[in-house]
Amino acid sequence: MAINWYPGHMHKAKKEIREVIPKMDLIIEVLDARLPFSSENPMVASLRRDTPCIKILNKSDLADPVVTQQWVDHINRTSGMKAIAVNLKQPDKIRSILDMAPAMVPERNLDVSQLKAIILGIPNVGKSTTINILASRTVAKTGNEPAVTKQQQRIKLPNNIVLLDTPGFLWPKLAPEDCGYRLAISGAIKNTVIEFEDVAMYLAEFLMQHYPDALQQRYQLREIPQTGIELFDLIGQRRGCMRRGGIADTHKVSEILINEFRDGQLGRITLETPEMIENQLKAMEAAKAAIEAGKAKK
Ligand code: G4P
């Protein structure tokens, strides 16, 4: 899927993060619980070394609770990492990370008992909402857009924690390719730079395979059709957005499907499981190895 990135700004933000992470006692990363792998900043894995890390799986109210638990268990198996699933209606649970944090940091790292933490999160995961809850006040938002980019800011929190907030640039985690689609579905990538109908078709096919009951209930379908195109036609008929000739208005149907997913009207849905990601990464490695083997033969 073609996406229009802003490489200039990403370069600057990457440089800042690369410089700052080694000075931190703790990394707090806000993820979208519906796509905990795709919404990660890939630099965290490469830069964190043994810095403790709390992964906040936010928007848990929109995610499949069974899969969220799988992700929490999966992340907790990584040394020095703790996962917590939360949503904005659980401020006390979000604030519990202020008690969790000091216990994760070795005492020798605490410079005059101040704990330096950085908070990261791609756009729209709920980073600002989380910061406001942690600080118990409204903190100015760091910008995601070139024109409104505000610089890093330091926020004093209880328990002598100082939180460094950075602009929430989106990183090109587009491998495996499915990550790009999931980011687009979630709203992390602006609608104007994605192939909207292509993204909606990906969502339609995913739901047909993994959440057919949710589709049947929402669109009152007697049965799940064979193809995404047939599903578009059925949704078009149900919602009165058909063109002449009995063909669905694909843009309108795409909007319905994507918006109703984002608002949780289709139910609690997660777009990726740890097992799915493992298989997709393996397939990607196998494809890479096959290309290398092909090159070596020539
Ligand atoms: P960001 O800083 O990471 O870009 O995200 P921000 O906190 O601005 O949140 C982005 C959107 O996600 C907001 O909705 C916010 O209300 C919503 N949100 C944040 N946390 C949760 C959550 O746990 N559950 C649900 N369901 N939504 C959450 P918005 O429509 O953009 O703004 P608004 O309607 O809140 O003004």
Side-chain angles (χ1 to χ4, degrees), residues 215-260:
L215 281 174
Q216 277 189 286
Q217 257 188 22
R218 182 76 194 158
Y219 303 112
Q220 294 145 21
L221 307 176
R222 246 176 282 137
E223 54 188 36
I224 292 294
Q226 295 290 315
T227 66
I229 294 172
E230 287 171 89
L231 178 65
F232 267 44
D233 284 342
L234 288 174
I235 297 175
Q237 283 164 18
R238 292 281 179 275
R239 296 298 174 87
C241 33
M242 299 300 285
R243 287 187 194 282
R244 256 186 249 146
I247 298 164
D249 178 333
T250 46
H251 191 79
K252 279 195 183 146
V253 173
S254 298
E255 271 180 349
I256 290 171
L257 197 59
I258 290 184
N259 290 339
E260 295 192 354

Side-chain angles (χ1 to χ4, degrees), residues 58-59 61-62 86-88 122-129 141 144:
N58 192 40
K59 305 199 182 187
D61 54 320
L62 300 174
V86 298
N87 64 71
L88 55 76
I122 64 167
N124 207 38
V125 284
K127 189 179 71 162
S128 310
T129 311
K141 195 169 177 162
N144 298 320

Side-chain angles (χ1 to χ4, degrees), residues 174-214:
L174 298 179
E177 192 192 18
D178 298 72
C179 293
Y181 281 105
R182 294 174 189 138
L183 287 165
I185 292 168
S186 75
I189 304 173
K190 274 205 207 152
N191 288 350
T192 46
V193 299
I194 61 173
E195 291 157 24
F196 201 66
E197 286 149 38
D198 187 28
V199 169
M201 187 54 74
Y202 179 96
L203 177 61
E205 287 170 356
F206 174 85
L207 294 173
M208 283 163 64
Q209 197 182 344
H210 298 280
Y211 292 94
D213 296 350

Side-chain angles (χ1 to χ4, degrees), residues 54 92 97-98 100 226 248 271:
I54 298 177
D92 289 341
I97 71 165
L98 297 172
M100 198 195 268
Q226 295 290 315
L271 298 172

Side-chain angles (χ1 to χ4, degrees), residues 8 32 38 50 55 58 62 81-82 87 98 135-138 205 207 223-224 240 297:
D32 187 324
S38 298
D50 57 358
K55 300 259 185 187
N58 192 40
L62 300 174
M81 238 181 231
K82 278 208 160 76
N87 64 71
L98 297 172
S136 302
R137 65 186 166 92
T138 305
E205 287 170 356
L207 294 173
E223 54 188 36
I224 292 294
K297 262 190 197 166

